[in-house]
Amino acid sequence: MELVTPHIGLVVWTTVSFLILLTILGKFAWKPILGAINERERFIEDALLKAEAAKEEMSRLTNENDALLKQARAERDVILSEAKKLKDQIISEAKDAAHTEGARMIELARIEINNQKAIAMADVKNQVATLSLEIAEKVLKEQLADQQKQNELVSQLLKEVKL
């Protein structure tokens, strides 16, 4: 049991040693340790503040990015809308021009056809007139070649004529 119960001398010397060690540690070790702990605490607080500032800046930049993206989409939609309107206008103008040009070409063709028809009709009339004159000339030559036929023709014409 001697091992379990300490002697008074041992307790006193242990207490004295502990107080000396506590004084030495208080003078030389605790100030630097507490200073390092305080410095580390300040460093961590600064890092947290910087992280919070960076988080706020990231949030602000994200909001700005979203706004710019929305604006770019709106501008894209406007540009696409204008391009579609311009395309429709160009197509409409091209159709109108094609219809106008087609109508003009049809009218020119109609005029040309009428001109060619008139020329052909005039040519046919001239040929008919020429042929009629040639036939009449041949018939008259044949009828007037014979004296008896001439007399018969004159007498027939005289009978037809009423005075």
Side-chain angles (χ1 to χ4, degrees):
M1 194 97 181
E2 208 174 289
L3 289 174
V4 178
T5 55
H7 291 292
I8 194 83
L10 180 64
V11 172
V12 169
W13 283 113
T14 305
T15 306
V16 169
S17 297
F18 180 74
L19 290 176
I20 291 173
L21 179 65
L22 193 62
T23 306
I24 291 173
L25 284 176
K27 238 182 193 194
F28 297 112
W30 281 349
K31 287 182 184 178
I33 290 174
L34 287 177
I37 289 174
N38 287 338
E39 185 179 329
R40 177 75 176 149
E41 186 178 327
R42 275 184 267 120
F43 177 75
I44 290 172
E45 285 178 6
D46 288 345
L48 289 175
L49 289 175
K50 287 179 182 177
E52 186 66 30
K55 183 179 177 183
E56 289 175 6
E57 181 69 16
M58 182 62 82
S59 175
R60 184 185 65 79
L61 290 175
T62 302
N63 291 338
E64 285 180 12
N65 189 23
D66 289 342
L68 287 174
L69 190 59
K70 286 179 184 177
Q71 182 182 1
R73 285 181 181 154
E75 288 176 4
R76 179 201 63 192
D77 291 342
V78 167
I79 290 170
L80 287 176
S81 173
E82 289 175 0
K84 185 177 180 186
K85 286 179 186 176
L86 184 61
K87 176 193 80 158
D88 291 342
Q89 180 184 0
I90 289 171
I91 288 173
S92 175
E93 289 174 358
K95 282 182 182 179
D96 291 344
H99 285 298
T100 303
E101 184 64 21
R104 185 184 68 79
M105 291 176 74
I106 289 172
E107 186 61 30
L108 288 175
R110 188 175 294 132
I111 290 170
E112 183 65 24
I113 289 170
N114 287 336
N115 288 342
Q116 292 295 325
K117 187 177 172 182
I119 291 170
M121 289 299 287
D123 191 33
V124 167
K125 284 180 183 179
N126 287 338
Q127 287 179 0
V128 167
T130 304
L131 286 175
S132 297
L133 286 175
E134 288 177 4
I135 290 172
E137 183 182 341
K138 287 181 182 179
V139 168
L140 285 176
K141 278 185 183 179
E142 191 175 308
Q143 285 186 352
L144 295 178
D146 188 13
Q147 186 66 32
Q148 184 179 356
K149 284 185 180 178
Q150 286 179 13
N151 289 338
E152 286 176 10
L153 181 62
V154 169
S155 61
Q156 184 185 7
L157 288 174
L158 288 175
K159 287 179 187 175
E160 288 177 7
V161 176
K162 295 181 183 178
L163 296 175

